[in-house]
Amino acid sequence: GAGVSQSPSNKVTEKGKDVELRCDPISGHTALYWYRQSLGQGLEFLIYFQGNSAPDKSGLPSDRFSAERTGGSVSTLTIQRTQQEDSAVYLCASSLTPKEETQYFGPGTRLLVL
Amino acid sequence: DAKTTQPPSMDCAEGRAANLPCNHSTISGNEYVYWYRQIHSQGPQYIIHGLKNNETNEMASLIITEDRKSSTLILPHATLRDTAVYYCIVRVGNQGGKLIFGQGTELSVKP
């Protein structure tokens, strides 16, 4: 079956611009996660959705970062006024339920801020 | 969640067993050991998890010491496609939520 998909796969933007990254989780998965991986860094948690609500936003690095999820499915991560340090791979994962142990990851969106 | 320690890199010959160690000396009784791997330019992939008994699936085996302070992930017959960064994660079971990734072990399988 279809896995987690993310779009775009690559995004180049100029400093100061806003970007939107999209995640389509596996159908029926109620939990959705956003992570990011900077060059040479490990994977860093950003935010977690259970249905359309976000019980854990502790990883969002600043108020320029926001995310929403609609219809318990698609999620959008928005970065406003992008900075060069926002350059990273943004990964989305989903799991069948919030307590499900296995998270299934998408291929990521590579964001480059010039 | 307990902290884990892994060697930064390891080599393994193709066809041989790859044994990846992980130390988690502060693990609590209700914490499980999880392994994920990340092949270059891909998202992480779940491999296996366990509490205290050894576990085996189609991908790997997980051996947890009796005191649960360390574990070993075993890939019985490593192939070139197993070259990846392997992450050992300790977290409370049946609670879901975020995964906290360390630096992992970069495994290079060589022909």
Side-chain angles (χ1 to χ4, degrees):
Chain A
V4 177
S5 60
Q6 294 185 244
S7 61
S9 54
N10 292 281
K11 177 71 176 179
V12 180
T13 191
E14 294 179 348
K15 178 181 173 182
K17 300 281 189 181
D18 298 352
V19 295
E20 285 189 352
L21 311 179
R22 176 186 170 110
C23 173
D24 284 85
I26 294 172
S27 179
H29 280 198
T30 62
L32 186 148
Y33 306 82
W34 284 97
Y35 297 84
R36 76 174 176 181
Q37 187 169 31
S38 305
L39 187 63
Q41 300 295 316
L43 284 137
E44 174 188 18
F45 166 79
L46 297 178
I47 186 170
Y48 149 58
F49 285 93
Q50 178 178 333
N52 292 335
S53 63
D56 189 351
K57 306 179 184 179
S58 62
L60 294 177
S62 75
D63 58 7
R64 296 187 296 106
F65 288 72
S66 63
E68 65 174 10
R69 190 178 185 197
T70 56
S73 181
V74 172
S75 176
T76 302
L77 177 69
T78 301
I79 309 173
Q80 296 178 309
R81 305 181 302 281
T82 53
Q83 303 294 312
Q84 289 183 330
E85 59 264 28
D86 299 334
S87 296
V89 176
Y90 289 82
L91 290 153
C92 176
S94 70
S95 63
L96 184 60
T97 68
K99 292 187 177 182
E100 175 64 31
E101 304 305 338
T102 303
Q103 294 185 17
Y104 298 86
F105 283 79
T109 293
R110 283 165 180 73
L111 174 66
L112 177 62
V113 182
L114 301 176
Chain B
D1 292 334
K3 183 175 178 178
T4 63
T5 303
Q6 299 177 252
S9 64
M10 291 182 62
D11 289 343
C12 177
E14 187 179 20
R16 303 298 294 268
N19 298 283
L20 294 98
C22 180
N23 286 323
H24 32 78
S25 58
T26 60
I27 192 170
S28 300
N30 61 348
E31 288 181 316
Y32 286 66
V33 180
Y34 293 80
W35 285 84
Y36 280 73
R37 74 178 182 184
Q38 187 175 24
I39 295 170
H40 184 62
S41 297
Q42 296 183 21
Q45 175 190 24
Y46 166 83
I47 301 173
I48 198 167
H49 75 280
L51 181 63
K52 55 182 179 181
N53 297 322
N54 297 338
E55 301 289 343
T56 296
N57 63 19
E58 65 277 6
M59 290 183 68
S61 295
L62 174 61
I63 308 298
I64 303 173
T65 58
E66 191 170 347
D67 63 7
R68 303 209 319 121
K69 293 182 184 298
S70 65
S71 60
T72 301
L73 179 75
I74 301 172
L75 309 178
H77 306 287
T79 71
L80 299 179
R81 287 174 296 181
D82 291 322
T83 292
V85 178
Y86 288 76
Y87 296 98
C88 171
I89 300 167
V90 172
R91 64 197 288 246
V92 177
N94 297 322
Q95 285 196 349
K98 63 189 175 188
L99 294 170
I100 299 175
F101 291 84
Q103 295 303 308
T105 295
E106 185 168 7
L107 175 68
S108 296
V109 181
K110 301 180 183 299

